[in-house]
Amino acid sequence: MFLSSCISHPLISPKISHFGQPSNLRRNVEVDKRFTSALKTRGTDQPSQQASIGAGLLGEWSFARGTRLVGKKVSTFVPFRKSFEVQASWLTTSQIASSMFTLGTAAVLPFYTLMVFAPKAELTKKTMESGVPFIVLGLLYAYLLYLSWTPDTLRLMFASKYLLPELSGMAKMFSSEMTLASAWIHLLAVDLFAARQVFNDGLQNQIETRHSVSLCLMFCPIGIVTHFVTKAVAGTAAADDRHRH
């Protein structure tokens, strides 16, 4: 009988102190009821927040002190964690785009420096014959394109009914820093390839190309046009010289 009574009523009998006064158990139970009622009144719409609240109650509940310890944790932990994750994700994306933009720009400058200041050096010729810089820029571009890709990318690229790009769609797509960084790497790769073509053509035909190569860095179409104009002028001058002799 004594064992059955203990099993049937393990938590009902109040604990009596040495002075004959009830312990803090009843007070803690009342605090628990008020706290539970406050949680129901406050409520939450997010299942993740409900899970966080439940985890906090299970982890911090104490038989001796009730649930008074979790009140502050429930009210501050969930929104802080959510806002921190969003901010950290945004900073990471922005930092990646900025870093790749700077890295790509710095990576092509040595090649332009060699073509402009040492066009006839053996180091310049061997360096510009290599395809390594274009492979690196291509991989970098593919990585940024992967990070910038969204389900709406193709829709924005081919927005017209004829599946052709539209200016408004392209402007919206390039509003993203990651997309803009990938486009910049794309331009750097194409410009460097065009500058190499100009440089090699100048070596084969013994034509000055330093001004055209310099323009290819920032104004590639103008640099190409300048090279063809220079080539035409040089060809005319060479023909005149042959006629004179």
Side-chain angles (χ1 to χ4, degrees), residues 109-128:
L109 291 180
F111 302 101
Y112 284 97
T113 302
L114 289 174
M115 287 187 289
V116 171
F117 293 100
K120 297 182 179 180
E122 290 297 325
L123 175 62
T124 304
K125 295 177 182 180
K126 291 181 179 180
T127 301
M128 298 316 300

Side-chain angles (χ1 to χ4, degrees), residues 6-222:
C6 291
I7 296 176
S8 301
H9 309 283
L11 298 177
I12 296 178
S13 301
K15 181 179 179 181
I16 306 299
S17 64
H18 294 290
F19 299 97
Q21 299 295 333
S23 67
N24 293 330
L25 178 60
R26 183 176 301 173
R27 187 184 302 110
N28 291 336
V29 172
E30 293 177 358
V31 171
D32 293 343
K33 291 180 178 179
R34 291 198 300 270
F35 181 73
T36 304
S37 177
L39 285 179
K40 290 180 179 180
T41 303
R42 179 179 178 180
T44 178
D45 296 333
Q46 301 295 333
S48 60
Q49 294 181 5
Q50 294 176 357
S52 299
I53 292 174
L57 289 173
L58 291 175
E60 299 294 339
W61 193 89
S62 172
F63 179 80
R65 291 177 291 178
T67 55
R68 287 175 293 178
L69 295 176
V70 301
K72 184 176 181 180
K73 181 177 180 180
V74 171
S75 61
T76 60
F77 174 73
V78 174
F80 175 77
R81 180 179 180 182
K82 184 177 180 180
S83 62
F84 177 78
E85 289 177 352
V86 172
Q87 184 178 6
S89 177
W90 181 84
L91 289 175
T92 301
T93 302
S94 179
Q95 287 178 350
I96 290 175
S98 179
S99 299
M100 295 300 102
F101 181 90
T102 304
L103 179 62
T105 304
V108 300
L109 291 180
F111 302 101
Y112 284 97
T113 302
L114 289 174
M115 287 187 289
V116 171
F117 293 100
K120 297 182 179 180
E122 290 297 325
L123 175 62
T124 304
K125 295 177 182 180
K126 291 181 179 180
T127 301
M128 298 316 300
E129 289 175 358
S130 174
V132 173
F134 303 101
I135 295 175
V136 173
L137 290 174
L139 293 176
L140 184 59
Y141 169 74
Y143 173 67
L144 293 177
L145 183 64
Y146 167 75
L147 293 180
S148 64
W149 194 269
T150 65
D152 294 332
T153 299
L154 288 178
R155 182 180 62 83
L156 294 174
M157 291 177 62
F158 308 102
S160 69
K161 62 180 180 180
Y162 302 106
L163 297 180
L164 295 174
E166 289 186 349
L167 184 60
S168 59
M170 299 301 291
K172 186 176 181 180
M173 186 174 66
F174 283 109
S175 63
S176 168
E177 286 188 350
M178 191 65 70
T179 303
L180 191 60
S182 66
W184 178 250
I185 299 300
H186 179 278
L187 290 175
L188 290 177
V190 174
D191 291 353
L192 181 61
F193 186 83
R196 186 180 74 163
Q197 294 298 108
V198 170
F199 173 76
N200 289 333
D201 188 60
L203 291 179
Q204 293 175 1
N205 297 280
Q206 297 182 352
I207 300 172
E208 179 62 47
T209 59
R210 286 178 288 185
H211 59 296
S212 300
V213 169
S214 299
L215 288 172
C216 285
L217 175 60
M218 296 300 296
F219 312 101
C220 187
I222 298 177

